[in-house]
Amino acid sequence: MSSIVDHDPFPRQDVSLTPAQQKSRRARNIAIGVALGLFALLFYVVTIVKLGPGVLNRPL
Amino acid sequence: MSDLSYHLKAESAAEVCDASPSDFVQLLKPRVMSLVVLSALAGILLAPGHVNPVIGFASLVSIAVGAGAAGALNMWYDADVDAIMIRTRGRPIPSGRIDRDVALGFGLMLAAFSVLTLGLVANWLAASLLAFTIFFYIVIYSMWLKRATPQNIVIGGAAGALPPIVAYTAMTGSFSLSSFVLFAIIFVWTPPHFWALALIKSGDYARAGIPMMPNVKGPDRTRLEILIYTLLLAPLGVLPFVLGFASMLYGALSLILGALFVALAVQVYRRRQGDAAEKAAKQLFAFSILYLFLLLALIVAEHGLGLAAFAAQ
């Protein structure tokens, strides 16, 4: 069976990043991680503040 | 035959994003954001009764991120004119550090997160107002007014003036005269602030085809309108003291700053030629930033430190 891959107009290529691109990607990843962490922390603290002890008051 | 296998077009290394996190921070227009934070903080602290610091902080962050999202979406839409203007061509999109589509996605994501977060943390009336502010800045100002009329920044200034109302509503679920007074001060402050800049950068705006007041009505008419708006602003700035939500110290300072603002606007009106004219416009632009910063900072300090009640006695 001939595969469509044989005639693929966009053949897969390996992408090798330059050191500058690798460095900026790492910095972006760290920034996204920190932002997500702070976002989760914000929601955790707000939940505790809004619900208080009620956060434990739920049917089991 | 069905063959679901496919390959995506491979990115070449040259197409891979090499923007740093600080480029994304620049998309948020951090200097505009700092004014939004200060005016929103004033709105939060004007709220009567006890404000939970965590809820206040989370609301402030939501409003700041919402303003940043509006900044990113503005840079996405205005990338073509930003590339022409000297003042803006170093921004992340025209300088090629961030792709336009990436900025659009970034702005939309932050807008959605900021509005939803404010809704969950505070209330949905405030969240709706924040969504309206972002919509107004992008659709009404950036997409429509900015390229259509010399009144662009007069009407568009409403977007920059709304944060104190959003913040007050986030804390109380309602509106108040005090937050509307802050809105009015920022709204009337915007034309002299931006027209002073437009006088200095009129060539830049003309090249980009933006119909700013000096390019459409001429510099002299702009100088007159700056003076008129400044004469309106000076008494408005004193209103928080007159209405009793700022101290005598604020009243005195706002009077002095208002008089200085008018004096600088008179200078701009009188000096119409050469270096003296440009210097007067630059001084007015710089002072306008200081004026708003000091008024808002004093309201924040008085209410944040509980000085307003003391000063009112």
Side-chain angles (χ1 to χ4, degrees):
Chain A
M1 186 180 91
S2 71
S3 164
I4 196 168
V5 175
D6 295 340
H7 310 290
D8 191 345
F10 303 121
R12 188 186 292 274
Q13 297 167 7
D14 288 334
V15 176
S16 31
L17 301 180
T18 64
Q21 285 169 332
Q22 283 179 337
K23 192 180 165 193
S24 65
R25 184 176 65 177
R26 183 175 158 75
R28 288 198 305 273
N29 287 344
I30 290 170
I32 291 169
V34 170
L36 281 174
L38 290 174
F39 189 65
L41 181 69
L42 184 75
F43 263 78
Y44 174 78
V45 176
V46 167
T47 304
I48 298 297
V49 167
K50 281 181 93 83
L51 297 180
V55 77
L56 299 172
N57 186 15
R58 60 196 173 100
L60 295 173
Chain B
M1 179 193 122
S2 75
D3 188 343
L4 295 178
S5 65
Y6 66 94
H7 291 305
L8 292 172
K9 181 182 178 183
E11 290 176 299
S12 69
E15 290 170 316
V16 174
C17 179
D18 59 357
S20 68
S22 70
D23 291 326
F24 284 91
V25 171
Q26 265 193 51
L27 272 185
L28 306 177
K29 296 192 177 181
R31 275 187 289 184
V32 177
M33 220 170 160
S34 62
L35 176 64
V36 169
V37 167
L38 192 60
S39 65
L41 186 57
I44 286 171
L45 293 172
L46 281 174
H50 173 70
V51 171
N52 187 300
V54 172
I55 303 299
F57 174 75
S59 301
L60 190 64
V61 169
S62 302
I63 295 167
V65 172
L73 292 171
N74 170 269
M75 285 202 201
W76 158 74
Y77 189 77
D78 276 345
D80 55 342
V81 293
D82 282 353
I84 299 169
M85 294 176 64
I86 295 165
R87 188 175 73 90
T88 52
R89 67 185 176 198
R91 285 176 173 176
I93 301 174
S95 64
R97 301 197 302 278
I98 291 182
D99 192 74
R100 217 170 155 230
D101 293 341
V102 172
L104 174 64
F106 183 62
L108 286 175
M109 181 200 68
L110 289 185
F113 268 82
S114 62
V115 169
L116 290 173
T117 303
L118 189 62
L120 291 167
V121 165
N123 57 68
W124 292 103
L125 178 60
S128 308
L129 276 172
L130 181 61
F132 174 74
T133 306
I134 297 169
F135 167 82
F136 194 92
Y137 187 64
I138 301 308
V139 178
I140 306 295
Y141 170 69
S142 301
M143 293 184 176
W144 177 29
L145 296 170
K146 184 172 177 178
R147 301 174 193 224
T149 167
Q151 297 296 325
N152 47 16
I153 51 98
V154 178
I155 309 164
L162 275 167
I165 296 181
V166 178
Y168 185 93
T169 307
M171 294 301 100
T172 62
S174 63
F175 300 104
S176 84
L177 183 62
S178 58
S179 61
F180 277 100
V181 168
L182 291 190
F183 170 88
I185 291 172
I186 300 170
F187 184 74
V188 177
W189 166 88
T190 306
H193 169 74
F194 272 107
W195 285 337
L197 178 70
L199 280 174
I200 305 161
K201 303 282 181 187
S202 61
D204 225 8
Y205 282 112
R207 259 196 309 282
I210 305 294
M212 292 300 280
M213 184 68 80
N215 307 107
V216 179
K217 304 277 185 184
D220 290 349
R221 171 68 183 273
T222 307
R223 291 187 171 93
L224 176 65
E225 299 229 9
I226 284 176
L227 186 58
I228 292 169
Y229 274 97
T230 309
L231 287 169
L232 284 171
L233 177 64
L236 260 179
V238 189
L239 219 49
F241 162 68
V242 175
L243 293 175
F245 63 88
S247 71
M248 188 97 78
L249 174 66
Y250 174 93
L253 190 75
S254 61
L255 263 179
I256 295 167
L257 290 172
L260 282 171
F261 208 143
V262 171
L264 288 172
V266 169
Q267 264 194 0
V268 169
Y269 183 72
R270 291 175 63 184
R271 296 179 182 173
R272 300 184 174 201
Q273 300 291 331
D275 289 347
E278 188 171 325
K279 191 180 169 195
K282 278 182 181 170
Q283 280 180 337
L284 183 70
F285 177 72
F287 183 79
S288 67
I289 297 168
L290 183 70
Y291 173 86
L292 195 61
F293 174 79
L294 284 177
L295 291 195
L296 292 172
L298 201 54
I299 289 178
V300 166
E302 286 183 351
H303 287 266
L305 303 173
L307 298 178
F310 171 75
Q313 286 174 357

